[in-house]
Amino acid sequence: MTQSKKQQERQWNTRKELQNPHGKVKSFEELSDMNEKKK
């Protein structure tokens, strides 16, 4: 039996999320903005 397209996409998305468990990597600009706000 073949899997439905939605099911394949869902599985692919979960595999992709597992590769990067900490979320989106921030750019240097975003990191510097965060650093300035803390001061």
Side-chain angles (χ1 to χ4, degrees):
M1 293 178 81
T2 60
Q3 295 177 334
S4 68
K5 180 101 172 141
K6 290 277 183 195
Q7 190 176 5
Q8 285 178 344
E9 288 179 11
R10 198 177 327 113
Q11 288 175 348
W12 186 84
N13 285 333
T14 53
R15 284 198 302 272
K16 282 292 175 186
E17 287 171 11
L18 289 173
Q19 288 178 358
N20 192 5
H22 300 292
K24 181 180 173 242
V25 177
K26 295 184 178 170
S27 68
F28 288 119
E29 191 174 308
E30 288 175 309
L31 290 173
S32 65
D33 285 345
M34 286 175 50
N35 220 3
E36 289 175 9
K37 289 178 185 175
K38 289 181 182 177
K39 291 181 183 177

